[in-house]
Amino acid sequence: MSKQHQFKLVLLGESAVGKSSLVLRFVKDQFDDYRESTIGAAFLTQTVTLDDQTTVKFEIWDTAGQERYKSLAPMYYRNANCAVVVYDITQAASLEKARSWIRELQRQADPSIVITLCGNKSDLSARRQVSEEEAKKYAEEEGLMWGETSAKTGEGVTEIFTAIAKKLPLTVAPSARGARPGAPGRAGVDLNRQANTTPGQGEQCNC
């Protein structure tokens, strides 16, 4: 009998790092060069098939990156099963911002939350300011999953969400999530590559 698991996923990160473009690529396999900034948060859903028996439905909250919306963030990451913290590989400051989001999640989110650090805009590697080594080392130290993506080309996008789906505790009901922060299963995971998925719903985000 097939099982569908449902998990709440929140995207965090500075404005303009590509959170909404990442979600749009994952949910609708689309890219829009000129996206409006997200106001508050946008909600979308997408389902990942892990095998014949198992699917994972993500309820995705794409939060606004502007400072004036920061106080709303806990409303979205509270009770989230997983968080994708996005930085722009061409902006070193965006990784610093990502680190502060991760510290906040570690302090205030559910202790079993699966956190993924995602370096977006890998298609702009000629303008890279954040090396893969630096980001990977930080992710390993903090026990985070890590990968680079390009919302523009689609590279790595499906892989990063599929890896998160595989990492979630599918053997227990989402309400009884396990996996403590220091558990061996949360060692840094390095993901990187490309593919597509199926349509979802909703939109309206920032790039």
Side-chain angles (χ1 to χ4, degrees):
M1 200 181 87
S2 65
K3 286 199 191 107
Q4 184 179 68
H5 302 270
Q6 198 161 298
F7 293 101
K8 178 180 174 185
L9 182 148
V10 63
L11 276 99
L12 299 164
E14 201 166 45
S15 189
V17 293
K19 297 185 296 298
S20 301
S21 295
L22 206 57
V23 176
L24 188 66
R25 174 63 76 185
F26 174 53
V27 172
K28 298 193 171 189
D29 197 21
Q30 293 173 1
F31 179 79
D32 179 354
D33 267 314
Y34 304 99
R35 294 200 63 69
E36 295 292 317
S37 285
T38 304
I39 297 170
F43 177 74
L44 302 92
T45 64
Q46 177 60 299
T47 301
V48 173
T49 302
L50 295 184
D51 57 43
D52 296 343
Q53 260 70 56
T54 318
T55 57
V56 169
K57 181 182 181 184
F58 284 120
E59 296 186 337
I60 305 166
W61 287 98
D62 169 26
T63 66
Q66 295 98 319
E67 198 60 40
R68 67 179 180 275
Y69 295 118
K70 190 172 188 310
S71 61
L72 299 176
M75 209 164 65
Y76 298 107
Y77 66 63
R78 196 173 293 130
N79 305 324
N81 306 93
C82 37
V84 179
V85 183
V86 186
Y87 66 95
D88 173 350
I89 69 160
T90 71
Q91 301 287 337
S94 70
L95 178 61
E96 285 313 307
K97 187 72 175 170
R99 288 174 191 255
S100 74
W101 276 118
I102 287 161
R103 282 194 297 272
E104 185 171 327
L105 287 170
Q106 288 168 333
R107 277 201 318 270
Q108 300 189 45
D110 188 299
S112 66
I113 193 168
V114 172
I115 304 173
T116 302
L117 178 65
C118 173
N120 191 36
K121 308 194 185 179
S122 60
D123 53 292
L124 301 177
S125 56
R127 288 163 40 195
R128 178 187 288 278
Q129 287 185 5
V130 180
S131 71
E132 289 188 26
E133 294 70 29
E134 179 191 356
K136 205 186 296 189
K137 181 171 181 286
Y138 168 66
E140 281 167 4
E141 286 166 359
E142 297 295 331
L144 315 171
M145 296 171 72
W146 171 82
E148 288 192 348
T149 56
S150 167
K152 188 166 191 169
T153 66
E155 186 181 0
V157 176
T158 302
E159 287 71 18
I160 211 160
F161 287 98
T162 303
I164 293 166
K166 287 178 177 169
K167 186 84 168 171
L168 290 161
L170 304 182
T171 49
V172 292
S175 57
R177 302 168 308 247
R180 296 271 73 76
R186 286 197 65 195
V189 177
D190 177 358
L191 349 137
N192 265 346
R193 247 183 197 83
Q194 188 240 335
N196 320 336
T197 357
T198 42
Q201 56 168 68
E203 214 175 305
Q204 214 284 60
C205 323
N206 61 322
C207 56

